[in-house]
Every structure is written in C-alpha cells, then in structure tokens.
Amino acid sequence: MNDRTNDLPILMYHAISSPEVTALPQTSSIEHAVKARDFRAQLDAIVDGGYRTIKLDDLDRPASDPKSLLITFDDGHESDLIVAAPELARRNLHAIFFIVWSYLGRPGYLSRDQVIALRAQGFEIGSHGLTHTRLTQVGAAEASNELLESKRRLEDLLQEPIAALALPGGTLQRCRARSRLGRRLSAYHDVGFRIANRENRVMPRMGPMASTTLKDFKWMLEASRAGAIRHRTIEAIGERLARWANYGNAILMRAQNAEVLAKSEK
C-alpha cells in the first residue's frame, strides 16, 4: 500500500433506483438508492474529470496517476448487474462489488449466476459478510465465521481467491476477529482497513445518496482523507437523527392510538 492510497477517493454505492429493476428489498434504505439518471451523471463527471478507476492490486503499486479512485458497491443488489455494470462498462470504468452471501437469490438481490456474470465482465467481487451482521455486536467465533465463511463460499462460487472485504456497518474498532483474516484480505467501508505487509490502514469511503447533488458529488472526488471522514461522520449523525425521529414518531403514534382506544372503551 503506497502513500497515495491515504487520500484515494473511494466511492460507496448501494442500490441504483431504476424502472429496470424491481422495488428495493426491505433490507435496503431508499435514502441510499441513487436514481439511475443521477448515477449516469456522476459517472460522466468521473470521466469528464479525468479520473481513472483502479483495481485492488493497484493499491500495492506506486501511484502513477494522481486522479485515481475506487468505485465500490455494497450488499449485492440486482441493480449492480442490470443498471450499474452496463453504465460502468460503457465508460470503461472499473468497480468492486461487495456481496452479502445470505442475500443471494432474495427478491431484489443478485443470484449466484449473476455474481458469476459480474465477474465474467471483468468486475471484482468482494465479501460484505455472511449475513451482514455487525461484527462488534457478536463474539469472536461468530465474527470469524461471518468473515471466513463468506470468503470461502464466494471462492467456491467463483473458483478464485477473494481478497476484499467491506465490513458491515463499517465498524473496525473492537472487531475481535480481525486478526484471523488472511494477509491478502482488504476492507473498505465507513471505517475500513487493509491487512497486508503487517499494516492496518484506515480507508474511509464516501457514499453518494439519493439526495446527493452533482455539485456535492464532484466535491467527493476532490475531498481529502480528512474530508472523507468528516463527510461520513456528518452522514452518520444525520442517519442517527433520522432513526431517532422515526422512533419518536412511532412512540407518539402508539400513544395516540392508546388514547383513542381508552376513549372508545369509556
């Protein structure tokens, strides 16, 4: 891993919203689903800006292009193959798709054959865990199984080594299974790490969302590592506030329903 990777822009997509695909699965957040027209505009901005998408192996080589970036996708939505892959290929852009093994075959997600098809088109495949369990919330044995079993199953499916991991929830701290990962295992997420040559490096990703404007997206491409961390911190705070607001609304609704019921019983 070279010094340039410390400031490497890493984009993190989830589903791409498009009439070509079915409705988003229940496990997906509509806030994270970028509209297809916005996605195309963002890819055009990458090309027009002179950026070059790189592969995982490029992280271990001396940086030759100051405008390198990684494009990643999480969870394994069917829009990865139906929408994202053709748009990327049309612009000669590369991407890494992180798959949750247990999601394969579910409505709205890729099938095993579709994962093989993505790889056959030249895109890289990584693991996003066996069941998308947050590793900081389970014991060492379960965390190790989440990582190593997903890696093994993807390797059996694709008949090649899987060298990339995106941690579910982006949590690295207190991850008790991290020392059990192979030396070729990489990870990128809100807080990511790479285990190679005895190095642990934090590599934050920035996630375009449904509300991301083209101006904001172009800022992401130019943002420093510190800027990426600030972006993810602010986004995480916003998501937490939204969850609290939804929780508060649910409690209020429950209280109102209880009040109506009490009045009807009088």
Side-chain angles (χ1 to χ4, degrees):
M1 183 174 296
N2 54 70
D3 293 336
R4 171 63 186 138
T5 58
N6 287 333
D7 289 317
L8 180 72
I10 305 177
L11 300 177
M12 174 184 61
Y13 287 98
H14 290 82
I16 305 300
S17 176
S18 169
E20 301 174 60
V21 297
T22 58
L24 291 176
Q26 291 183 348
T27 51
S28 296
S29 165
I30 193 164
E31 290 84 3
H32 288 86
V34 176
K35 291 182 175 61
R37 65 173 181 271
D38 294 335
F39 179 65
R40 288 190 288 268
Q42 291 167 6
L43 296 186
D44 287 339
I46 290 172
V47 174
D48 294 343
Y51 289 90
R52 181 181 71 93
T53 52
I54 65 174
K55 298 183 178 182
L56 287 171
D57 285 343
D58 293 326
L59 295 173
D60 291 322
R61 301 189 181 109
S64 58
D65 191 340
K67 283 200 165 185
S68 298
L69 83 155
L70 279 171
I71 299 178
T72 69
F73 291 79
D74 282 4
D75 298 339
H77 294 92
E78 66 173 348
S79 60
D80 290 355
L81 181 67
I82 297 174
V83 182
E87 295 295 346
L88 289 162
R90 193 170 290 119
R91 296 164 178 81
N92 197 30
L93 296 173
H94 184 68
I96 306 160
F97 294 87
F98 292 106
I99 307 300
V100 179
W101 179 264
S102 67
Y103 288 0
L104 294 180
R106 294 185 184 181
Y109 289 100
L110 297 168
S111 66
R112 298 183 187 186
D113 286 343
Q114 287 176 319
V115 174
I116 294 173
L118 267 179
R119 185 68 187 103
Q121 293 179 28
F123 298 107
E124 291 182 278
I125 303 297
S127 169
H128 199 30
L130 188 64
T131 64
H132 204 269
T133 297
R134 289 178 180 260
L135 304 185
T136 56
Q137 298 176 356
V138 297
E142 185 176 348
S144 180
N145 183 69
E146 277 286 326
L147 300 180
L148 300 180
E149 187 63 18
S150 62
K151 173 177 164 62
R152 183 190 68 79
R153 294 188 188 189
L154 283 170
E155 289 178 339
D156 287 346
L157 177 67
L158 298 174
Q159 292 297 296
E160 65 178 10
I162 296 297
L165 164 76
L167 290 169
T171 47
L172 169 62
Q173 290 81 2
R174 305 185 310 281
C175 178
R176 288 169 284 183
R178 63 181 181 272
S179 62
R180 303 190 182 192
L181 303 181
R183 291 181 62 188
R184 281 290 300 152
L185 204 59
S186 309
Y188 313 94
H189 204 72
D190 308 342
V191 178
F193 69 98
R194 178 174 173 79
I195 298 181
N197 302 321
R198 300 180 181 177
E199 295 182 19
N200 285 346
R201 294 288 185 90
V202 174
M203 297 181 68
R205 296 192 291 172
M206 293 177 288
M209 302 179 71
S211 59
T212 300
T213 66
L214 188 57
K215 180 180 178 180
D216 289 339
F217 179 80
K218 291 179 179 179
W219 174 86
M220 289 181 184
L221 298 179
E222 298 291 340
S224 65
R225 180 170 176 269
I229 294 174
R230 286 196 299 272
H231 170 84
R232 292 302 299 142
T233 301
I234 293 171
E235 185 178 81
I237 292 173
E239 291 172 354
R240 180 168 296 182
L241 289 174
R243 286 196 297 270
W244 286 346
N246 291 336
Y247 179 68
N249 289 335
I251 292 177
L252 179 61
M253 183 68 70
R254 185 176 299 176
Q256 290 173 340
N257 290 339
E259 182 180 357
V260 171
L261 179 61
K263 289 181 179 179
S264 65
E265 292 177 347
K266 288 182 179 180

